[in-house]
Amino acid sequence: MAFPLYSEGFRSSLFFGLYGKLLGTERSTRDHSCLSIAVAAGVAGGIQGVAATPIELVKVNLQSPNGSSLYRGPVDCLQKLYAAHGTRGIFRGLNVTVLREVPSLSIYMVTYECLCHYMRIGTRDNLSLPAELLAGGLAGVLSWSINIPVDVVKTRLQSDNPSSPKYSGILDCARKSCREEGFRVLFRGLTATCVRAFPTNAVTLVVYSKCLRLLQDQGRDD
């Protein structure tokens, strides 16, 4: 239970820290274009994707059918993967993880900011809490709905046997998966993912926005 919490906290902190730095936290996001938001989120997402690759790999291996018998925990898993396959081994799936994170987080932040902007039209006040929660939840659902096929491929590539791989790359994995199980396999788990994504991202983005406004207010007071 601790590993998912700590790892997600690390990834969120890294992404939002980079995103805020790239976008400029001294200005309100209302002053930025959708393009600048997308670029900042995409760059931050790409960097976060690099750091997230070993985390995702450990998670996939621990959740595998033999994970509990092979590894005593996340640290043991990472040590054994490194001992067996080296640095390249613990970054297996780097390309597809970055490929997932860049468009996913760009869509995520642009959707959130655009929804907040349109719901704010006609009022000078900040959005109500329910409106912000709705914007964050919908942003998470849309982002995952579009990127779930890449996530499916990523999971299969990272769970593949590195000593005798079934897949030679991203496209090969997608082709073989569709040929063997049909096109719908790329959307496996979509409903459960979206159900989980709405509350998780609603809370995440509200907390981020509240903290950002607090920092901006403190900066103006100083």
Side-chain angles (χ1 to χ4, degrees):
M1 184 66 181
F3 177 66
L5 288 174
Y6 287 132
S7 61
E8 286 303 313
F10 166 74
R11 291 174 60 175
S12 294
S13 298
L14 179 60
F15 169 72
F16 285 114
L18 289 168
Y19 172 72
K21 195 70 174 177
L22 290 166
L23 203 59
T25 54
E26 71 280 356
R27 296 170 58 196
S28 169
T29 50
R30 304 181 199 183
D31 301 326
H32 295 280
S33 66
C34 288
L35 178 60
S36 62
I37 291 169
V39 171
V43 172
I47 297 171
Q48 185 259 155
V50 175
T53 300
I55 296 172
E56 294 273 336
L57 183 63
V58 167
K59 184 169 70 174
V60 167
N61 278 271
L62 289 175
Q63 291 175 344
S64 67
N66 298 322
S68 58
S69 60
L70 290 173
Y71 310 111
R72 295 192 302 270
V75 175
D76 181 59
C77 178
L78 189 62
Q79 288 174 337
K80 287 180 177 177
L81 289 172
Y82 179 77
H85 307 291
T87 303
R88 289 189 65 183
I90 63 172
F91 281 93
R92 189 168 82 248
L94 173 63
N95 291 344
V96 70
T97 303
V98 173
L99 182 63
R100 182 193 67 180
E101 297 297 282
V102 172
S104 173
L105 289 167
S106 292
I107 293 167
Y108 181 52
M109 294 310 300
V110 168
T111 302
Y112 174 70
E113 297 295 353
C114 287
L115 285 173
C116 287
H117 170 75
Y118 286 113
M119 286 191 287
R120 200 181 287 121
I121 290 176
T123 176
R124 295 182 180 181
D125 299 326
N126 289 322
L127 285 179
S128 64
L129 179 59
E132 284 195 84
L133 288 169
L134 177 63
L138 290 176
V141 169
L142 178 62
S143 173
W144 272 108
S145 297
I146 293 172
N147 284 282
I148 193 74
V150 183
D151 185 67
V152 170
V153 170
K154 179 204 73 67
T155 300
R156 292 186 172 219
L157 286 172
Q158 288 191 318
S159 60
D160 200 11
N161 185 351
S163 302
S164 180
K166 178 180 179 180
Y167 310 113
S168 62
I170 298 171
L171 292 178
D172 182 61
C173 178
R175 279 197 297 264
K176 286 180 178 177
S177 297
C178 289
R179 186 166 61 244
E180 293 170 4
E181 302 174 62
F183 181 75
R184 292 179 64 182
V185 71
L186 296 179
F187 293 90
R188 181 173 292 170
L190 175 61
T191 302
T193 299
C194 289
V195 169
R196 182 190 66 202
F198 190 96
T200 301
N201 290 285
V203 173
T204 297
L205 284 170
V206 166
V207 171
Y208 164 72
S209 298
K210 298 293 185 187
C211 290
L212 181 60
R213 284 198 289 269
L214 180 63
L215 291 172
Q216 289 170 342
D217 291 342
Q218 288 180 342
R220 282 191 289 268
D221 292 340
D222 293 340

